[in-house]
Amino acid sequence: MNTILEDFYELREILSSFDNLQNNYNWLLTDLDGSLPDVYLDYFIDYRTYPKEARGSIYWITGEKLTELANKEDIYFAWGVFSAFNKNEHIDLDMLKEEPYADGNPNFWVERPKIQHSKATTELVLWDAGLVLLLSKDEKISTNYRNKFKEFKSLEVYNKEPF
């Protein structure tokens, strides 16, 4: 189920809606723009940071550590893609061929948006501190998310609305 919120929520609020289901996955974080102080780099299984081009940085983290990180006071993301993978899936950050991105991505605004990485089961997209998109094959995550955020819209319905 693909869902959009026309409001912005902090990562901690979004993850809390999953009712700990995020812990069943490892997460790839890409196209981040916000506040992620270097002091938290130890939370990640693996990462590649590029200081001059922060949006090119990529991170691999467990769901448990992502939850801990989201609960830190000085963590904030205006943009970003959080892609969930089964725990047994290994992602080699040096060989990453499908790097999900948000900013400038027209593929969210089509009739049937799809998760960007072929092996991901869920994709959470923070869009310019104004929208939150959730694309998920995990029905429980989608249902929990929609139950918490009653103002949600189906992304497919939203994309048919005139602007």
Side-chain angles (χ1 to χ4, degrees):
M1 290 192 290
N2 298 332
T3 306
I4 187 168
L5 295 174
E6 295 181 278
D7 202 352
F8 196 75
Y9 293 90
E10 291 183 8
L11 183 59
R12 88 175 114 240
E13 293 174 279
I14 297 164
L15 293 180
S16 74
S17 77
F18 295 166
D19 196 26
N20 292 316
L21 292 172
Q22 72 275 9
N23 296 337
N24 296 338
Y25 300 99
N26 288 332
W27 293 79
L28 177 67
L29 283 56
T30 54
D31 197 26
L32 298 179
D33 186 15
S35 170
L36 179 59
D38 287 347
V39 69
Y40 299 120
L41 291 177
D42 289 345
Y43 282 67
F44 297 95
I45 297 169
D46 196 9
Y47 60 89
R48 303 290 181 275
T49 58
Y50 309 101
K52 292 185 180 183
E53 297 178 30
R55 286 209 160 155
S57 299
I58 50 179
Y59 306 87
W60 184 242
I61 190 169
T62 66
E64 296 86 357
K65 287 295 185 182
L66 179 60
T67 303
E68 285 181 43
L69 188 67
N71 286 310
K72 300 293 181 190
E73 292 294 320
D74 51 350
I75 298 294
Y76 176 83
F77 301 106
W79 287 94
V81 179
F82 299 75
S83 305
F85 294 80
N86 289 322
K87 288 275 190 178
N88 60 357
E89 189 69 48
H90 173 73
I91 299 293
D92 183 341
L93 298 183
D94 293 320
M95 303 298 287
L96 190 62
K97 291 186 170 90
E98 299 169 272
E99 191 171 322
Y101 69 103
D103 191 8
N105 190 337
N107 296 318
F108 298 119
W109 318 115
V110 297
E111 188 175 336
R112 289 192 182 98
K114 292 184 172 50
I115 295 170
Q116 294 176 71
H117 195 288
S118 60
K119 294 183 179 180
T121 61
T122 296
E123 185 171 275
L124 173 65
V125 180
L126 304 180
W127 184 276
D128 198 19
L131 301 172
V132 179
L133 289 71
L134 179 69
L135 293 80
S136 187
K137 298 173 189 170
D138 184 328
E139 297 246 354
K140 285 185 178 180
I141 282 182
S142 292
T143 299
N144 289 352
Y145 183 77
R146 287 177 171 204
N147 285 339
K148 174 159 183 166
F149 301 109
K150 302 290 188 194
E151 69 278 16
F152 79 86
K153 290 185 180 181
S154 160
L155 185 54
E156 288 78 6
V157 171
Y158 178 86
N159 286 341
K160 289 179 183 175
E161 293 176 359
F163 289 99

